[in-house]
Amino acid sequence: MHDSVPMTREGYNKIKAEMERLDSVEMPKITEKIAEARAEGDLKENAEYHAQRENQGMLQRKIDELKLKLARATIIDPSTLPKDEVVFGCTVTVEDLAYSDEEQFTLVGAGEEDYDAGKILVTSPLGQGLVGKKVGETAEIDAPAGKMRFKILKIEFLDAE
């Protein structure tokens, strides 16, 4: 649980901004609603008070999770990584050997994942299975539905300038 969380500076800043927004904007709103509900009297049967206390607890857990991610963050500069193998920050085109179709994944860090856009966490099982592979090699990844096999077709660095 104490593993580092790889991310770019952009991903780190995105998570930090979200954590600060929750802590300085959303939490005071909930605290104010709790005070208003408390002012209504009997707390035993005050549903609004109990709902806001629950919201406060869930929000605090979210803030704590983001703080932990930031504390474990390792900022990675993709320009310093090898260009001939699958690494953090690259976009890899693979052939799914079971279905003979091509798929494209970009390996990203925490805060940047977008599964609909093919941006997967480098720390995910799929990401870890692809890391270190070169063009022409086959990655075998254990999945709940069985073993997935991908042939590496192309490695690109689309965000590199």
Side-chain angles (χ1 to χ4, degrees), residues 102-121:
E102 284 188 17
E103 296 183 53
Q104 194 174 64
F105 304 108
T106 301
L107 277 65
V108 298
E112 298 174 287
E113 65 270 23
D114 180 353
Y115 298 101
D116 293 335
K119 292 183 175 190
I120 63 169
L121 285 172

Side-chain angles (χ1 to χ4, degrees), residues 45-63:
E45 295 180 22
N46 189 329
E48 179 65 20
Y49 172 79
H50 293 289
Q52 292 306 326
R53 290 290 304 203
E54 187 174 326
N55 289 342
Q56 184 182 42
M58 289 189 303
L59 183 60
Q60 188 61 54
R61 274 191 296 283
K62 177 72 174 166
I63 291 168

Side-chain angles (χ1 to χ4, degrees), residues 18-41:
E18 175 66 3
M19 185 269 301
E20 289 172 349
R21 183 187 71 78
L22 293 175
D23 200 27
S24 64
V25 176
E26 298 303 321
M27 189 60 82
K29 285 181 187 175
I30 290 177
T31 303
E32 188 177 312
K33 288 179 182 177
I34 288 172
E36 290 171 6
R38 184 180 286 140
E40 291 176 16

Side-chain angles (χ1 to χ4, degrees), residues 1-7 69 71-76 122-123:
M1 177 94 177
H2 299 291
D3 296 332
S4 68
V5 179
M7 60 181 75
K69 262 187 197 179
R72 294 175 34 213
T74 301
I75 306 297
I76 307 239
V122 71
T123 54

Side-chain angles (χ1 to χ4, degrees), residues 4 10 17-18 53 56 60 62 68 72 76 88 90 93 97-99 108 121 124 129 132 139 142 144 147 158 160:
S4 68
E10 179 183 337
E18 175 66 3
R53 290 290 304 203
Q56 184 182 42
Q60 188 61 54
K62 177 72 174 166
L68 182 60
R72 294 175 34 213
I76 307 239
F88 177 82
C90 80
T93 303
L97 297 176
Y99 300 103
V108 298
L121 285 172
S124 69
D142 290 321
K147 199 171 283 280
L158 302 177

